[in-house]
Amino acid sequence: MATVAKDSDVHITYDDQQKINKFARCNARHGDVKEELKMKENELQNLQDAEDEIMIALDGDEKVPYMVGEVFIMKSQDEAQEAIAAQREVLQEEIAGLNTRAGELQETMTQLKGDLYGKFGNNINLEPEEE
């Protein structure tokens, strides 16, 4: 991720190396947070889809299978909708926390980028590799 050109005459101090290391750690965490955020958003969409299916497909007094851990239990539609709503609320809070964390990491990385590019200019590359 962070590389310094080998043929440069720029001296890297201990503090510079610490900033480069901190940037690399923040970048790795940022990637992990973004991946977790994507998974949570998919879970949230799945809950919405399940709730929509319950409302469309079933009569009001039918029981529906509801997954708890690795087993299914039968719940009334109202109980299932309440459980889905509770799960959705928890997921929304987790997503908000992950967004906050991603923003904090991005802010730290932006500050470190400014410091490192200010000192090393084009002799350092802090941009993500294209996949």
Side-chain angles (χ1 to χ4, degrees):
M1 164 53 47
T3 58
V4 178
K6 293 187 186 322
D7 59 347
S8 69
D9 290 335
V10 178
H11 178 69
I12 300 175
T13 65
Y14 177 77
D15 288 336
D16 296 334
Q17 186 61 53
Q18 295 297 34
K19 286 180 182 180
I20 291 169
N21 292 346
K22 184 175 182 180
F23 179 86
R25 284 190 307 272
C26 285
N27 190 51
R29 286 186 196 127
H30 188 262
D32 292 345
V33 167
K34 285 293 190 182
E35 195 64 34
E36 187 175 352
L37 190 56
K38 187 184 298 185
M39 288 183 346
K40 297 287 184 189
E41 287 170 344
N42 285 341
E43 286 180 44
L44 189 60
Q45 183 59 49
N46 289 342
L47 287 175
Q48 182 63 45
D49 292 346
E51 194 170 40
D52 292 346
E53 287 297 318
I54 287 173
M55 287 192 289
I56 293 171
L58 300 173
D59 293 332
D61 57 347
E62 266 187 81
K63 296 270 186 179
V64 295
Y66 186 83
M67 189 171 197
V68 177
E70 295 182 7
V71 297
F72 285 95
I73 59 172
M74 297 305 284
K75 288 188 175 225
S76 71
Q77 281 186 8
D78 289 340
E79 291 171 333
Q81 286 176 331
E82 287 173 12
I84 288 172
Q87 276 185 294
R88 187 175 50 239
E89 189 174 314
V90 168
L91 275 174
Q92 288 170 335
E93 289 174 9
E94 290 174 356
I95 287 171
L98 288 169
N99 279 324
T100 300
R101 181 68 179 138
E104 291 168 352
L105 289 167
Q106 186 64 49
E107 187 176 312
T108 300
M109 290 182 345
T110 300
Q111 175 66 40
L112 290 168
K113 265 186 181 182
D115 293 348
L116 292 168
Y117 277 127
K119 179 164 185 179
F120 296 109
N122 290 335
N123 294 319
I124 190 166
N125 179 16
L126 300 173
E127 301 306 317
E129 294 176 6
E130 295 297 322
E131 294 179 17

